[in-house]
Amino acid sequence: MQTEHEEDDRAGLNSVGDKVMVLARAGLWQEVVTVPASQTYLMPDGMSFEEAAAFLVNYITAYMILFDFGNLRPNQSVLIHMAAGGVGTAAIQLCKTVENVTIFGTASASKHDALRESGVAHPIDYRSMDYVEEVRKISPKGVDIVLDPLGGSDTTKAFNLLKPMGKLITYGVANLLTGQKKNLMAMAKTWWNQFSINALQLLHLNKAVCGYHLGYMDEEFELIGGVVAKLVSLYSQGKIKPRIDSVWPFEQVADAMRQMQEKKNIGKVILVPELPKEEPKKEDN
């Protein structure tokens, strides 16, 4: 018969009082959260709680897309949509860990300077430009990897932008979100235009299509744990660091959501139960 403590040692789980990051599909907008110990990971030294909140989902997603599916290697090129968002900023940092990777990134023009500073060689304003044409001007053959969180007709464009042996990884359908009001016609159009291809068509095109959804890997503890260990190592080496756009108390959740919906954020929007109170400034005597 094993004691609870022995079982924890055997499973390699964390101890009471440890500072941990939590990976869960839902239910985290609360002051107190209960999750299985297997869904917690030790925070590395020097990491803030805000960084920890921005770390797991974004960086696991970006890492597995780029390396497990994308097989990113030196001298390749990557197109990152929504490059100023949480997954986008994580993907940019991870691309910079590989030698001579050329990054194309779509985002509104106001975010281009920040993207260039982070390592995006070619920021593209998707609102005023045809990003396919802009990529082709610089790289006529296209790119090696496309990260597609958009869906709809953009997935077709992404597939057509791939070089031979290129890889498209789709991981979202952001095009179904159509601003402050849900436009049912636009949603129906996006759904109708979802990319579809069969195995025989893929055969002669020499391209790959992959689908990724972290939320459906709840039971893949060993797989996810291995990725987290690599990411923590990169963080500890100073090669990656979550970019926090803003921190909002629970009572301002609507404002936090609006920050993302209006695409104003660069990096991760964080919710906390309440903002820390500022200490009163001491007056000089």
Side-chain angles (χ1 to χ4, degrees):
M1 180 176 177
Q2 292 177 312
T3 66
E4 182 179 349
H5 181 71
E6 287 171 338
E7 288 176 352
D8 285 351
D9 287 344
R10 176 180 53 80
L13 303 180
N14 302 313
S15 303
V16 174
D18 286 341
K19 295 181 178 180
V20 296
M21 302 175 281
V22 174
L23 188 62
R25 190 183 296 190
L28 296 182
W29 293 7
Q30 304 178 124
E31 293 185 18
V32 179
V33 177
T34 301
V35 297
S38 57
Q39 292 175 217
T40 64
Y41 302 89
L42 276 175
M43 289 168 53
D45 292 339
M47 177 178 277
S48 69
F49 283 114
E50 289 78 14
E51 286 180 331
F55 194 68
L56 288 181
V57 171
N58 289 335
Y59 281 86
I60 292 172
T61 297
Y63 186 96
M64 297 187 80
I65 286 173
L66 285 170
F67 296 108
D68 291 311
F69 272 144
N71 192 26
L72 179 63
R73 300 191 303 279
N75 305 312
Q76 290 191 323
S77 54
V78 180
L79 171 60
I80 301 173
H81 286 297
M82 300 171 65
V87 174
T89 55
I92 292 166
Q93 292 178 13
L94 288 168
C95 283
K96 298 300 291 180
T97 66
V98 180
E99 185 179 1
N100 197 32
V101 171
T102 302
I103 305 172
F104 296 83
T106 65
S108 54
S110 63
K111 302 176 181 179
H112 285 193
D113 288 343
L115 290 181
R116 289 190 186 94
E117 290 175 8
S118 67
V120 177
H122 307 291
I124 302 170
D125 183 1
Y126 64 94
R127 294 177 176 177
S128 63
M129 299 177 177
D130 182 331
Y131 66 83
V132 174
E133 289 184 6
E134 294 303 310
V135 171
R136 293 283 187 195
K137 286 178 185 177
I138 299 161
S139 180
K141 287 187 176 181
V143 295
D144 295 290
I145 301 170
V146 179
L147 279 63
D148 170 39
L150 302 177
S153 59
D154 285 291
T155 307
T156 303
K157 293 178 181 178
F159 184 78
N160 292 334
L161 265 177
L162 292 177
K163 294 178 179 179
M165 299 303 293
K167 301 163 188 73
L168 161 65
I169 302 96
T170 181
Y171 65 100
V173 196
N175 283 333
L176 287 178
L177 303 176
T178 56
Q180 294 185 359
K181 292 184 178 179
K182 287 186 177 180
N183 183 324
L184 294 179
M185 287 298 293
M187 292 175 70
K189 183 179 179 181
T190 297
W191 187 260
W192 179 259
N193 288 327
Q194 283 300 300
F195 177 75
S196 179
I197 194 167
N198 64 46
L200 288 178
Q201 289 172 303
L202 281 174
L203 191 63
H204 70 275
L205 292 171
N206 292 305
K207 299 178 180 181
V209 180
C210 309
Y212 180 86
H213 195 307
L214 178 58
Y216 288 93
M217 288 196 284
D218 300 43
E219 303 300 319
E220 301 298 328
F221 305 123
E222 187 175 342
L223 176 62
I224 299 300
V227 173
V228 173
K230 293 171 185 175
L231 291 170
V232 167
S233 176
L234 289 171
Y235 177 88
S236 299
Q237 295 172 51
K239 293 183 178 180
I240 61 175
K241 183 178 178 65
R243 179 162 185 165
I244 309 300
D245 172 79
S246 50
V247 180
W248 306 77
F250 282 176
E251 63 187 26
Q252 294 181 24
V253 62
D255 296 323
M257 296 302 290
R258 195 173 298 113
Q259 177 83 351
M260 294 188 294
Q261 190 175 44
E262 296 176 358
K263 300 182 178 179
K264 293 180 179 178
N265 62 300
I266 300 178
K268 190 72 170 175
V269 174
I270 299 294
L271 286 176
V272 296
E274 59 183 19
L275 293 176
K277 294 180 181 179
E278 294 186 7
E279 295 183 4
K281 295 181 180 179
K282 295 180 181 179
E283 296 183 2
D284 294 332
N285 293 328

